[in-house]
Amino acid sequence: MSCLPHRRRHFIDAPGREKCCTPIRRSSARKAACASAASSLRTLRAADPDAPVWTHGVEQRVRFFPRRLLFEAVVHVADAELAVGLEPGRIDAATAADGIDEFLENLACYSHIEERVRELGRDGDTLHLHAADGDGEWLIGIGDGGFTWRHAHGKGQVAVRATAADLLLLTYGRLRPDDDRLTVFGDRELLEAWLAATAL
């Protein structure tokens, strides 16, 4: 985990050069992770958010990284909680909704994801995600060799209703469609296929 913020900082400070991370000992992992997070915050706060920089997403400015790091942290905290049998802690609905936006915005930047979606053979099918605790709705359409998405209410071949936080965890594959926190209507097989194709 400590390597990721280090790499983000390096891309911002020196986008034309490469630098690798030094492995850390387990005993110092917590201290190193906190120091790395603090270093990332200092770097991002000092940087011009509109400065051009390489990213692996749609947004090619520094402002990409605070948002990306936020959702890496949110999802991996949930990973840690699930790994020890705990329910994931509360994720603010607005934050979770933005996390779903961020996921869908950048998904097409991964060529292997586009290929897997194309291979689904489900052109013309749609998925509808509906947040039960806010205004968040997402309509995802498969077709033309990829997918599109927009904020809209509409009927899909499959629909999922849950809190925005649980929809975020579903989107990242941390919850499965048969989880009690989700209500699924329609073609469950399409939902399973979409989640498998879009797994990062």
Side-chain angles (χ1 to χ4, degrees):
M1 291 179 63
S2 64
C3 289
L4 290 172
H6 175 83
R7 286 177 181 252
R8 301 293 190 267
R9 177 168 54 84
H10 178 63
F11 283 136
I12 293 169
D13 288 345
R17 296 196 298 264
E18 292 186 4
K19 186 181 291 185
C20 64
C21 301
T22 303
I24 57 176
R25 294 180 179 178
R26 185 184 300 271
S27 60
S28 61
R30 184 174 182 178
K31 182 178 179 180
C34 291
S36 185
S39 176
S40 293
L41 285 172
R42 286 194 301 272
T43 300
L44 291 168
R45 285 169 176 164
D48 177 358
D50 292 319
V53 64
W54 179 89
T55 77
H56 56 281
V58 173
E59 176 65 78
Q60 293 291 300
R61 293 177 293 174
V62 168
R63 66 176 64 253
F64 168 87
F65 288 108
R67 194 176 181 214
R68 177 84 294 271
L69 287 172
L70 168 63
F71 296 117
E72 283 187 2
V74 166
V75 172
H76 290 314
V77 166
D79 283 339
E81 292 166 333
L82 291 167
V84 295
L86 298 176
E87 290 291 317
R90 182 180 180 275
I91 303 171
D92 176 75
T95 299
D98 187 50
I100 297 170
D101 285 356
E102 196 262 358
F103 179 89
L104 293 172
E105 285 169 12
N106 294 316
L107 201 57
C109 295
Y110 297 92
S111 58
H112 65 288
I113 298 289
E114 280 196 314
E115 182 177 350
R116 293 201 300 243
V117 171
R118 187 164 53 247
E119 291 172 351
L120 288 177
R122 301 296 298 255
D123 282 13
D125 284 352
T126 58
L127 304 91
H128 178 217
L129 306 179
H130 188 167
D133 56 345
D135 297 327
E137 291 192 74
W138 298 263
L139 199 62
I140 303 165
I142 301 173
D144 297 325
F147 73 95
T148 60
W149 72 277
R150 57 194 172 96
H151 291 291
H153 179 77
K155 186 174 182 180
Q157 275 66 38
V158 62
V160 186
R161 181 178 173 84
T163 66
D166 288 338
L167 289 176
L168 176 66
L169 295 178
L170 172 72
T171 299
Y172 273 93
R174 271 50 178 190
L175 295 182
R176 302 305 308 161
D178 59 358
D179 193 284
D180 291 341
R181 287 167 284 195
L182 310 171
T183 303
V184 180
F185 307 92
D187 189 348
R188 187 180 293 265
E189 184 177 319
L190 172 60
L191 178 59
E192 293 275 9
W194 167 261
L195 293 174
T198 58
L200 296 177

